[in-house]
Amino acid sequence: MFPDGMGIMFCNGARGLYYYAAKAGRIFVENSGVIISVAVGAYIFPQQTKVALAGAIVSRGATWLTEEIDQRYHRHLADAYDWLLDQAPQNVTQGYFKLTRTVGAPQRAISTAVKNRGNQGPQILLWVNEDTVTELIAPVLEEGIFRLGIQSGIGIALTRFGVPSPVAHSLSGVIATTLFAGAHSPDPRDPQFRQTLISGIVFGLMMHFRGYPAAVITHSFHNFSMRAQERIGL
């Protein structure tokens, strides 16, 4: 026979263990993207992972600072893009919008498939949620398209055509960052374009100085911190 109250104590203890185990499991699933990024990065690319954490702090800080300046003084780097689109011929503007839709198509397709998972979406995506897309799939895919593909590809092509390396890498970075922001929202006046333009600059610098893994992990950290901020209501 258990002493009086011992059974209740064990019952409450079991309930508590179940509650916290379920909560820990939910936290792991919701943040599996950044956990995988950190785990794989720390094991295979330890130096890049350390630098990526600093890069994410810089990207979040720069995004916040430019938003504050925009709200107070109505000045933002994206204003230059808005002015250029206004001055450009109509066919150039239309080409820009078409190109941003094209390069942004893979990410939109994945987001749509995840939202439809379990219904008409692929069964393989049942384990994927929006956090996984934001913290893991999007960084890997987008950095592959915009930094590894466009930024590096254009930079290499320009240098082969005799363009000085600093100019070639700067120009390719600007193009990749512009398309990165445009793929999220083609309108330079849209807050999403303005935010991704700033973070894209940091991701591009990480790609140039530290390589693709550092750019991916920085992107993952950045997106994780944004979703964490949304959850706590800041």
Side-chain angles (χ1 to χ4, degrees), residues 59 63 81 96 99-101 103-104 107-108 134 138-147 150-151 172-186 192-204 215 219-220 222-223 226:
S59 66
T63 301
Y81 290 87
Y96 161 76
L99 185 57
T100 55
R101 286 195 299 270
V103 295
Q107 178 62 17
R108 289 195 302 273
T134 302
V140 171
L141 178 65
E142 292 179 350
E143 295 310 305
I145 293 173
F146 296 102
R147 249 62 66 174
I150 296 174
Q151 180 173 320
S172 64
V174 170
I175 294 172
T177 301
T178 301
L179 293 176
F180 173 69
H184 288 79
S185 175
Q192 193 171 23
F193 179 98
R194 298 165 103 79
Q195 292 170 3
T196 50
L197 179 68
I198 302 303
S199 62
I201 292 173
V202 178
F203 302 157
H219 195 156
S220 179
H222 177 92
N223 288 359
M226 287 185 64

Side-chain angles (χ1 to χ4, degrees), residues 86-158:
D86 285 340
Q87 305 305 312
Q90 187 176 5
N91 60 338
V92 173
T93 303
Q94 291 175 346
Y96 161 76
F97 287 125
K98 184 177 181 180
L99 185 57
T100 55
R101 286 195 299 270
T102 301
V103 295
Q107 178 62 17
R108 289 195 302 273
I110 290 176
S111 298
T112 301
V114 169
K115 290 179 181 178
N116 294 331
R117 68 191 188 282
N119 298 320
Q120 64 267 34
Q123 293 298 308
I124 195 173
L125 293 176
L126 285 176
W127 62 274
V128 178
N129 56 34
E130 291 185 8
D131 295 283
T132 311
V133 172
T134 302
E135 298 166 8
L136 179 62
I137 297 176
V140 171
L141 178 65
E142 292 179 350
E143 295 310 305
I145 293 173
F146 296 102
R147 249 62 66 174
L148 192 60
I150 296 174
Q151 180 173 320
S152 297
I154 293 177
I156 293 172
L158 289 176

